[in-house]
Amino acid sequence: MSTTSAHLPARDRTRAVRGKLTAWLFIAPLLIVNILVIAGPGLMSVYYSFTDWDGLDQAQSVGLSNYIELFGDPDFRSALLHNLLWTAFFLVVPMSMGLLGAFLLSRIRRGQLLFRVIFFIPYVIATVVSATVWRQILSPASGIGPALDNLGIPLLKDVNFLGDGQLALGAVAFINNWQWWGFLVVIFLAAMRGIEPSLYEAARMDGAGAWREFWHITLPSIRPTFMFLSLMTVIWSFLVFDYVYILTQGGPAGSTDVLSTVMYRAAFSEQQAGYASAIGVILALISAGTVCGYLYLRRRLRWDI
């Protein structure tokens, strides 16, 4: 029979209250920081999204005008489409590469730590550094195209990856993937190391090959990690900014614009902070909707996480 706090002796109740107060005292600084840094600015953004504000002068209420203008803005629609394409790419390509790389690496007995470090190095390189290096590599004047042309391979001669509207978004996504997929390898590999070895031994005794082991043992066993990384990939894909801004700033002609670059340009170049706040609210709603959908599917499909 469980004993409730009402039936505890006075001394034990006092200790329980003191324990709760101590816990709240320890967590209070974190709560205060979250309120000041996240909740406060978030609520202010919601307020300013209903105003005409340049970021400096007094804000003037305009109701839903910013949102009406937003959904009629072709730049916004184009940027949203680019975010959707970016999300689809990162849900398929890096996740597949990360899974395959981790599975192959899990079967290596010697030198595994070295490979993990090699895969992880691009992730810890500063974005500005890696973007600058890749800009030089893809330069039509001094990059890989002219270098191959000098070797008698004119395949990439005069190809401007970051200056061609049809290639720029894919080129930026490729560069971001170069940094990102090694991180996924390390995370998936850590999850695979927790799989019971006896499951693989039993599968081999039944004649299962590497593909069957991967499909019927590895994937179901790391499903919690896989689903969590898929969720974060969707959220991060809608928040992407650094590589796009450093490499192309949304160009050429808006071909690499994403919601974050449109928001940044509206706030700091066009002094439309209220309009930019509306874009920020839309991004927050997309992230919240993604999390709610994930929680619903988790409960409906009974994912064990």
Side-chain angles (χ1 to χ4, degrees), residues 43-62:
L43 293 175
M44 290 177 62
S45 296
V46 174
Y47 166 74
Y48 284 122
S49 70
F50 296 101
T51 66
D52 180 11
W53 185 46
D54 62 2
L56 296 174
D57 298 327
Q58 184 70 29
Q60 302 294 327
S61 177
V62 294

Side-chain angles (χ1 to χ4, degrees), residues 78-91 169 173 238:
S78 176
L80 179 59
L81 175 61
H82 294 159
N83 273 115
L84 293 173
L85 293 174
W86 189 281
T87 302
F89 174 84
F90 276 86
L91 279 176
L169 185 65
F238 276 94

